[in-house]
Amino acid sequence: MDLRKPALSALRGPRRWFAAAASVAVLAVGGTWTAVASDDPPPVHRTDRIMGMGGGVEIDTSYFTAGGGKERRPAVLIGHGFGSSKADVRAQAERLARDGYAVLTWSARGFGRSTGKIGLNDPKGEVADVSRLIDWLAKRPDVELDKSGDPRVGVTGASYGGAISLLAAGYDQRVDAIAPSITYWNLADALFPNGVFKKLWAGIFINSGGGCDRFEAQLCQMYNRVAESGTPDAEATRLLEERSPSAVGDRIDVPTLIMQGQTDSLFPLGQADAMAKAIRANGAPVDVDWIAGGHDGGNNEADRLEARIGAWFHRYLKDDENADTGPAFRVSRTGGVDSTDGAATLRGATGDTYPGLTGGQRPIALSGREQSVTNPAGASPPGVSALPGLGGAGGLSQLSSLGVGVSLDFPGQFARFDSTALTEDLRITGSPTVSVHVRSTSDDAVLFGKVYDVGPDGRQQVLPSQLVAPVRIEDAKAGKDVTLTLPAIDHEVEKGHRLRLVLASTDLGYASPVAPATYTVSLKGDLRVPTAPGVTTAAAALPSWVWWLPPAGAGIALVLLVTGRRRTTAPAPDPALAEVPLQITDLSKRYANSADRYAVRDLSFRVEKGQVLGLLGPNGAGKTTTLRMLMGLIKPDGGEIRVFGHAIRPGAPVLSRVGAFVEGAGFLPHLSGRDNLELYWQATGRPREDAHIEEALEIAGLGDALARAVRTYSQGMRQRLAIAQAMLGLPDLLILDEPTNGLDPPQIREMREVMIRYAAGGRTVIVSSHLLAEVEQSCTHLVVMDRGRLVQAGPVSEITGSGDTLLVGLASDIPDPVVRKVAALPEVSSAVLTEEGLLVRLAAPVHGEAAERAAVVVGAGVKETGTSTTAPDDVVLEAAANGSASAKGSAAANGSAAAANGAAANGSTAAANGSAAAAGGSEAAARLLVELVRLEVPVASLGPHRRLEDAFLTLIGGSS
């Protein structure tokens, strides 16, 4: 079937023969057919080939068919997006193959395994490659032919692949139908709209391609030239226009399904509008579909679009007149939020004809005096509309459809003109226009026009789809009238809202003049908004659960009534623990699918008000699992957690008294710190007065930085803002997971002060951290875990300096066997060799002053162990026996004291303070000293150790 006009042809004569000859150069790679796994018959088969394109360029291809028959079928080519490869379209290729098509995918030049330079769909490069692929299809015995050498073929693709489908139809008359999506008609207009350089998107193009050197030399030179000057020149415009579908727009006369994104600052709806008008003027059938997503994110409706593409090809490749190709125009609209998963729901609005971007215009009066707008030196700081490159994050532009504004205009850098409050709802579908007068102190002026939807309070404003229209006004010194075409949108403005026209001097995504200038702007007429009256929204279909839920609910109720089952209730609050922030009792959690392997086992500890508790342990100790159970995210297998006397369950009301900062917080970089916190609190749905924002900010200590954009914050300031967010509502229990990650020492000190100030008000803080020295300074209490069990809990001072951990200073190194012998002593729990000496943990702790008195110093001068220092006058070089001193240098065999032969040979003497030997703790230290001498350990000093890092190592046996 050939729907084209005979006069239009792209490949003829010698050029056609050259293409056919080049297609013969095929290098088979894995040339056997392989089955692709599928749950549905028929099976899909794929073969991969490397095809030579001439000039040393090789293109990586995959060919898909389904079933084992020999019947001929129409073919479909699928192009991939920029920066990806044929692998990204494999799933779509398999689905089309099952629908009865022969499908060919390929990686474009410079992508995937294909060679060659990126030419941005160069007619002599990428476009000629597609013609050679069609030549190859024409020789396949399983591909349907319209005539010899002319296969029945359609082309589809998104973005870069969408443009190649348009270009293929313009350059090769054998293409029978196309379905481009989220793509461009004129690449120069897309990247240089109205003479303004779209610098961020252009930079992303270069980066996604792997760097400038991966592109054709003239493209790289063009980009560098324009990026440096900030202004596109005529040669740059010509170069991109030559590679655009608009260059062959009068030749594209095949059935075209155009799918364009509403949230797309790269290729906005205006590109699709120009595309539809040109192709329809050639006499071809054209349907237009405005989808919810785009390059800026949102829902790209992949399943729906693939189904519509399939129907389009059924109609125009298989000649199936019963195929439902859909309406001439469709636009996806937000129908609210799904309460089950929080996702935006979509509803389709349709029209029997495509309305264009100006249908049903309605004038809206604006008010505002003549205003001056400053273009700052260096065009900085820039305003913010769209955030190119963040589409994968979910699409900030889609937030506007839900009434959330994330744009930013700097005072003095914009003019604003407002309408009165609307007396009825207004649906804008298309591009609003407005005439203004602009005068500049410089030769040229660059302005960015946008229309806000402003709430009844006059403060909350939303920029639909985060889109802005740039315009360069040349020779503006004398003043000039300009008609601005604003971004095409589909947006409903509610009754009581206002429209606000903003003309700004800067925008983050574009290049503005770097020289300072002042623009004077005034209105010359009303804002005219298109309403597309022929487009109607379908009534929302009732979800299936509306029909099945009532009888199902009645059935469940009947079962419960008959069986007498009752809902399990949470344990009653414990009044005795009403003032206790946290009590964990016999808490256990097994690993998944394991009956005897535990992530947490029989864990018990208690946290009181005003404490800053450090939760310590090596990786795999069970800290994160414990915190997740504490937050109600997972259920324990045994034991319980009580917060202020209430048992923790998922969604327990008492969790409102708990604040948490886990693995960082996400902030909108262009909003101020205060605006980020307010937006977060609004999302909780709790009253504003309950936020205690001022109190949280005072504790966080951000000062004047609150008014600045978060993108200007240091890492330490971001961390403090994140903790301030966790402190909103002033929770009685604050949980912080690694709050000092990535901070430098001054920032760590600031973070420590924040935690201490918060706990000083009688609240409680739990900190999980690996920075032991910092925990030692900021925490009042510690819980040490290892292998899911509690090792020790108590005040920091007790754990670090209780006397159960002693530091043995060594006169010389000792071998590992000696360390193991020390660890095997009856009164020793563990022994670990460190740079400072031998850390010995006693089985019977040495407490209080007894630990201090157990310090033994060998040799002259001052020896310091831990944080206690023994002065020369206090040094008693004697061995203690039952509390009495004996002669200096003697050795006692009765266990009360000892002197090492090795030490004596070095002229040093080991001694224990006589007054300490009477205490139980010092007796243990004295006995240890005897054993160390017996094992010929070269003891230089012995005393309590108070450094948390080493105490921690001894507690867990050096397993960290």
Side-chain angles (χ1 to χ4, degrees):
M1 177 180 178
D2 193 347
L3 300 177
R4 298 176 305 281
K5 298 177 182 177
L8 297 178
S9 175
L11 293 175
R12 297 181 178 176
R15 182 177 175 185
R16 185 74 170 267
W17 285 108
F18 173 78
S23 68
V24 175
V26 176
L27 306 176
V29 177
T32 58
W33 293 96
T34 57
V36 177
S38 171
D39 294 333
D40 302 318
V44 177
H45 302 276
R46 184 189 92 237
T47 189
D48 299 326
R49 285 184 173 86
I50 299 287
M51 296 191 185
M53 295 290 135
V57 175
E58 296 179 344
I59 298 298
D60 184 21
T61 70
S62 290
Y63 185 62
F64 300 81
T65 57
K70 299 292 186 179
E71 70 280 0
R72 290 181 177 268
R73 65 203 77 189
V76 174
L77 289 163
I78 307 178
H80 61 78
F82 196 81
S84 61
S85 70
K86 67 174 186 176
D88 282 9
V89 296
R90 175 174 174 174
Q92 183 183 6
E94 291 174 0
R95 284 188 285 270
L96 283 171
R98 293 189 189 100
D99 286 342
Y101 296 93
V103 184
L104 184 61
T105 65
W106 76 103
S107 295
R109 294 187 179 207
F111 296 108
R113 295 173 59 196
S114 295
T115 63
K117 295 284 188 177
I118 299 170
L120 293 182
N121 287 333
D122 185 351
K124 297 179 181 178
E126 289 89 347
V127 180
D129 292 343
V130 174
S131 289
R132 294 178 184 117
L133 296 178
I134 295 175
D135 290 340
W136 183 83
L137 288 171
K139 299 176 181 179
R140 293 292 310 173
D142 49 0
V143 172
E144 182 179 349
L145 300 178
D146 287 331
K147 58 185 178 183
S148 178
D150 185 357
R152 180 70 59 86
V153 63
V155 189
T156 185
S159 191
Y160 196 48
I164 199 65
S165 69
L166 289 159
L167 286 159
Y171 279 97
D172 196 322
Q173 65 176 355
R174 295 173 294 176
V175 174
D176 296 287
I178 57 176
S181 65
I182 58 171
T183 192
Y184 57 88
W185 180 246
N186 185 325
L187 187 56
D189 182 58
L191 294 181
F192 310 147
N194 297 315
V196 181
F197 179 41
K198 197 179 287 184
K199 63 176 183 181
L200 281 192
W201 270 122
I204 290 171
F205 256 111
I206 298 298
N207 182 268
S208 298
C212 203
D213 292 342
R214 298 285 299 276
F215 290 75
E216 291 180 4
Q218 56 183 336
L219 289 173
C220 182
Q221 293 165 5
M222 178 273 293
Y223 171 75
N224 288 336
R225 187 174 68 251
V226 175
E228 183 176 351
S229 68
T231 305
D233 52 48
E235 175 59 24
T237 301
R238 181 196 62 78
L239 184 63
L240 294 186
E241 285 180 342
E242 289 176 347
R243 296 156 194 259
S244 300
S246 60
V248 289
D250 58 346
R251 306 181 195 174
I252 304 175
D253 61 346
V254 298
T256 304
L257 172 63
I258 300 170
M259 298 155 285
Q260 200 75 354
Q262 298 179 61
T263 57
D264 203 320
S265 59
L266 176 58
F267 304 138
L269 296 174
Q271 294 285 321
D273 181 66
M275 194 184 307
K277 288 178 179 177
I279 299 174
R280 183 175 286 110
N282 296 332
V286 177
D287 284 358
V288 178
D289 196 319
W290 289 359
I291 67 174
H295 284 91
D296 290 336
N299 185 348
N300 282 325
E301 306 179 72
D303 292 340
R304 183 180 71 80
L305 293 192
E306 286 190 14
R308 189 165 188 187
I309 291 169
W312 190 259
F313 287 151
H314 284 356
R315 172 67 183 86
Y316 294 108
L317 296 182
K318 291 187 175 181
D319 300 329
D320 181 359
E321 295 185 357
N322 294 321
D324 182 7
T325 58
F329 175 68
R330 185 191 188 280
V331 53
S332 294
R333 291 174 173 170
T334 301
V337 176
D338 189 333
S339 61
T340 61
D341 59 9
T345 60
L346 299 177
R347 299 164 62 185
T350 59
D352 294 333
T353 60
Y354 172 58
L357 302 183
T358 58
Q361 282 196 337
R362 170 181 166 181
I364 302 291
L366 300 175
S367 62
R369 58 176 176 78
E370 181 179 83
Q371 299 173 49
S372 293
V373 178
T374 299
N375 179 61
S380 182
V384 177
S385 52
L387 297 175
L390 295 185
L396 292 176
S397 55
Q398 193 182 31
L399 295 176
S400 62
S401 64
L402 302 176
V404 179
V406 292
S407 57
L408 177 66
D409 300 302
F410 284 95
Q413 294 179 207
F414 69 92
R416 111 182 184 189
F417 306 93
D418 287 4
S419 73
T420 58
L422 300 183
T423 57
E424 60 182 359
D425 292 348
L426 172 66
R427 169 68 68 170
I428 303 174
T429 302
S431 294
T433 59
V434 65
S435 294
V436 297
H437 184 79
V438 180
R439 188 173 68 254
S440 173
T441 58
S442 58
D443 291 333
D444 295 350
V446 172
L447 289 171
F448 301 90
K450 39 194 165 183
V451 176
Y452 285 101
D453 175 354
V454 183
D457 62 359
R459 297 178 57 193
Q460 181 65 33
Q461 61 180 24
V462 170
L463 180 61
S465 297
Q466 300 301 123
L467 295 177
V468 61
V471 60
R472 181 180 298 277
I473 304 142
E474 298 179 337
D475 302 323
K477 273 191 174 181
K480 183 178 287 189
D481 291 345
V482 180
T483 296
L484 300 178
T485 299
L486 296 160
I489 57 174
D490 183 76
H491 181 79
E492 184 173 32
V493 186
E494 296 179 359
K495 176 183 177 181
H497 286 220
R498 292 175 170 81
L499 290 177
R500 174 173 295 163
L501 170 67
V502 167
L503 300 175
S505 61
T506 61
D507 189 272
L508 178 67
Y510 299 82
S512 294
V514 295
T518 300
Y519 311 141
T520 304
V521 183
S522 60
L523 287 171
K524 296 295 291 183
D526 293 337
L527 177 70
R528 302 186 65 83
V529 298
T531 60
V535 179
T536 56
T537 305
L542 290 175
S544 60
W545 59 263
V546 170
W547 306 108
W548 62 256
L549 183 60
I556 293 173
L558 180 61
V559 171
L560 293 177
L561 183 63
V562 172
T563 61
R565 292 180 59 187
R566 295 183 180 179
R567 181 183 174 187
T568 303
T569 58
D574 186 345
L577 299 176
E579 298 300 318
V580 178
L582 178 63
Q583 173 78 53
I584 292 180
T585 306
D586 297 330
L587 189 68
S588 294
K589 180 66 178 179
R590 286 187 296 269
Y591 287 107
N593 303 320
S594 176
D596 57 357
R597 294 181 63 248
Y598 286 83
V600 176
R601 184 76 177 268
D602 300 330
L603 179 67
S604 298
F605 65 87
R606 175 169 171 153
V607 186
E608 302 289 352
K609 284 186 176 181
Q611 291 181 356
V612 179
L613 178 89
L615 185 60
L616 302 181
N619 291 334
K623 304 187 301 298
T624 300
T625 302
T626 300
L627 292 180
R628 293 181 67 192
M629 288 189 283
L630 171 56
M631 295 301 299
L633 300 177
I634 57 176
K635 294 181 180 180
D637 294 320
E640 68 171 3
I641 303 173
R642 286 187 179 267
V643 173
F644 296 103
H646 295 263
I648 292 298
R649 296 287 187 275
V654 75
L655 288 173
S656 64
R657 300 179 68 180
V658 179
F661 164 65
V662 179
E663 296 182 356
F667 296 113
L668 298 178
H670 62 283
L671 294 185
S672 68
R674 181 182 294 277
D675 288 344
N676 267 284
L677 294 185
E678 290 181 348
L679 184 63
Y680 168 81
W681 188 257
Q682 289 174 16
T684 69
R686 297 166 64 184
R688 191 183 189 284
E689 55 270 19
D690 291 350
H692 299 285
I693 290 180
E694 299 304 326
E695 292 93 324
L697 292 176
E698 182 179 355
I699 296 171
L702 284 165
D704 295 338
L706 287 170
R708 301 205 322 258
V710 169
R711 66 170 176 265
T712 67
Y713 283 16
S714 66
Q715 179 66 18
M717 293 167 66
R718 287 174 182 267
Q719 290 287 79
R720 278 191 282 167
L721 183 63
I723 291 186
Q725 179 173 293
M727 291 189 298
L728 289 182
L730 298 183
D732 295 303
L733 178 59
L734 182 64
I735 300 171
L736 306 176
D737 185 20
E738 300 289 351
T740 56
N741 263 0
L743 304 188
D744 57 31
Q747 293 169 339
I748 291 175
R749 184 177 61 252
E750 294 169 359
M751 192 62 63
R752 179 203 317 153
E753 294 169 355
V754 168
M755 291 186 289
I756 293 173
R757 283 198 300 270
Y758 191 80
R763 294 175 288 268
T764 304
V765 180
I766 296 178
V767 182
S768 174
S769 177
H770 288 88
L771 298 181
L772 302 181
E774 187 56 35
V775 167
E776 187 173 4
Q777 297 181 66
S778 58
C779 294
T780 61
H781 292 70
L782 297 176
V783 167
V784 182
M785 297 177 62
D786 188 25
R787 298 178 180 86
R789 294 181 180 272
L790 177 69
V791 176
Q792 191 164 345
V796 173
S797 59
E798 179 179 305
I799 291 177
T800 59
S802 62
D804 61 346
T805 302
L806 300 177
L807 176 62
V808 180
L810 301 174
S812 60
D813 294 338
I814 60 174
D816 288 341
V818 174
V819 176
R820 289 195 291 270
K821 290 180 180 179
V822 174
L825 293 174
E827 294 185 347
V828 173
S829 213
S830 65
V832 179
L833 192 60
T834 70
E835 291 182 357
E836 294 182 333
L838 184 65
L839 281 177
V840 180
R841 183 184 175 200
L842 300 178
V846 184
H847 297 285
E849 296 181 1
E852 291 287 349
R853 295 194 302 267
V856 177
V857 180
V858 179
V862 179
K863 295 289 184 180
E864 184 175 331
T865 61
T867 58
S868 65
T869 302
T870 307
D873 291 342
D874 297 327
V875 177
V876 181
L877 298 179
E878 62 183 5
N882 296 324
S884 61
S886 61
K888 178 179 178 179
S890 65
N894 59 6
S896 60
N901 292 332
N906 291 326
S908 61
T909 309
N913 188 303
S915 60
S922 57
E923 290 176 359
R927 287 194 294 272
L928 172 64
L929 179 58
V930 172
E931 295 298 329
L932 293 176
V933 171
R934 183 179 61 81
L935 294 173
E936 298 185 355
V937 175
V939 179
S941 64
L942 174 65
H945 194 62
R946 298 190 176 185
R947 191 161 160 263
L948 179 58
E949 179 180 350
D950 295 322
F952 174 72
L953 286 173
T954 59
L955 287 173
I956 64 172
S959 64
S960 64

